[in-house]
Amino acid sequence: MALVALKDLLEDAVRNRYAVGGFDAGEHGFAEAIIQAAEETQAPVILMVPEPFLKYVDRHFFAYLVQRIKASSASIDLHLDHGSTYESCLKAIHYGFTSVMIDGSVLPYEENVALTKKVVEAAHAAGVSVEAELGHVGGGEETLADGGTADEDHFTDPDEAARFVEKTNVDALAVSFGTVHGVYRGTPKLDLERLTAIRRQIDLPLVMHGGSGLSDEDFRNVIKCGINKINYFTAVSFAAVEEIKLALAEKNGKIFYPELVARALQKAKEEVVKTIKVFGTR
Ligand code: 13P
């Protein structure tokens, strides 16, 4: 199988109404855990590197990663998550990514359109797919301890989304309808009517950020209403960190590093495999 651009990877998901997981990595171990989960399930995955994690790796990491994915028995898209500038998207394209997200969701509408359009033109010239975001999914690393709640004022407007897609020629659109990144404060409330209205207007893959913390039923519902890519990170990271804490406690801190890392990555892989099955990815 191979390195596959997001647009091609999600075509079947749109046609047959299922979702493909987008899992974040910021170093070799997590990337390998995600690739192995895809190989074990023989399901496609989107291996994402968030722009803030680029500081943990360098071009050698991507040279290795592209070769590793090309040699994999699974179909994998290498994706820049939450790219904030035109330049960082170009850098990712240069590194061999097969898709980029340009996240202009905090910009005024016209600026989001202009930035997304500029990235789409450059990316398409290189055969790279583009995800954009309209409306804004909040939360994030800084609110992990408190948890986040969704702000309805930033939910995606279905008519505006249709105009945005038309103007930008983007390949996938991340939409806001009740999810947040990181840990939820309280039970998440998803506006499925809004999601259904967006799906009626748009014939492209729809993306949901903030997958961690939702129930299996929530996943089934959002997929039924039109979501085709689900970003999922915090729960995988927590699974690995909890295992590290457990291993350190069990061995009173006297454990060799490779064993500690292997245990953590095994848990990360198991969480990804479990999630792929819930999403119904094939
Ligand atoms: P979670 O960490 O909440 O699963 O969200 C991940 C995400 O949306 C990355 O873009």
Side-chain angles (χ1 to χ4, degrees), residues 22 24 48 81-82 101 180-184 208-213 231-235:
D24 287 307
M48 312 195 295
D81 195 18
H82 290 288
M101 175 191 191
V180 293
H181 295 99
V183 176
Y184 285 87
M208 182 180 82
H209 284 242
S212 301
N231 286 16
Y232 193 84
F233 172 65
T234 300

Side-chain angles (χ1 to χ4, degrees), residues 6-7 79 99-104 112-113 115-121 123-124 128-134 160-175 202-207:
L6 185 73
K7 187 176 166 30
H79 178 86
S99 63
V100 293
M101 175 191 191
I102 178 67
D103 183 359
N112 189 2
V113 168
L115 177 61
T116 302
K117 216 171 151 195
K118 191 170 161 192
V119 170
V120 166
E121 279 164 13
H124 284 183
V128 169
S129 309
V130 181
E131 172 187 331
E133 180 168 325
L134 187 70
E160 194 172 66
R163 287 196 297 275
F164 183 88
V165 164
E166 176 88 36
K167 279 190 169 172
T168 58
N169 198 21
V170 76
D171 302 296
L173 186 68
V175 291
I202 295 178
D203 195 23
L204 277 184
L206 294 177
V207 183

Side-chain angles (χ1 to χ4, degrees), residues 60-267:
H60 302 295
F61 171 67
F62 296 113
Y64 151 80
L65 201 53
V66 166
Q67 291 313 315
R68 172 66 181 93
I69 293 173
K70 283 183 177 168
S72 172
S73 63
S75 296
I76 300 173
D77 165 52
L78 180 57
H79 178 86
L80 176 71
D81 195 18
H82 290 288
S84 64
T85 62
Y86 177 69
E87 289 73 21
S88 64
C89 290
L90 283 194
K91 199 169 167 183
I93 293 167
H94 175 67
Y95 283 153
F97 282 60
T98 40
S99 63
V100 293
M101 175 191 191
I102 178 67
D103 183 359
S105 65
V106 291
L107 299 174
Y109 175 79
E110 288 302 340
E111 285 178 40
N112 189 2
V113 168
L115 177 61
T116 302
K117 216 171 151 195
K118 191 170 161 192
V119 170
V120 166
E121 279 164 13
H124 284 183
V128 169
S129 309
V130 181
E131 172 187 331
E133 180 168 325
L134 187 70
H136 177 65
V137 178
E141 286 80 1
E142 28 349 300
T143 59
L144 277 187
D146 297 342
T149 47
D151 180 352
E152 285 187 34
D153 290 346
H154 294 137
F155 283 5
T156 307
D157 176 78
D159 295 327
E160 194 172 66
R163 287 196 297 275
F164 183 88
V165 164
E166 176 88 36
K167 279 190 169 172
T168 58
N169 198 21
V170 76
D171 302 296
L173 186 68
V175 291
S176 171
F177 59 95
T179 60
V180 293
H181 295 99
V183 176
Y184 285 87
R185 194 183 310 140
T187 309
K189 282 196 210 75
L190 305 180
D191 186 346
L192 296 176
E193 270 176 40
R194 180 180 297 268
L195 176 59
T196 306
I198 298 169
R199 169 47 79 211
R200 250 188 246 121
Q201 300 251 25
I202 295 178
D203 195 23
L204 277 184
L206 294 177
V207 183
M208 182 180 82
H209 284 242
S212 301
L214 298 188
S215 66
D216 289 1
E217 195 191 347
D218 285 333
F219 287 127
R220 280 192 287 274
N221 286 337
V222 299
I223 292 167
K224 214 185 288 161
C225 294
I227 289 293
N228 307 109
K229 170 176 181 266
I230 300 180
N231 286 16
Y232 193 84
F233 172 65
T234 300
V236 186
S237 185
F238 278 11
V241 171
E242 285 307 316
E243 185 64 15
I244 287 176
K245 287 195 227 161
L246 189 70
L248 289 173
E250 268 173 28
K251 304 266 174 119
N252 204 17
K254 304 231 174 327
I255 183 169
F256 279 127
Y257 180 75
E259 184 187 343
L260 182 67
V261 172
R263 280 183 61 166
L265 295 180
Q266 176 63 24
K267 284 289 165 190

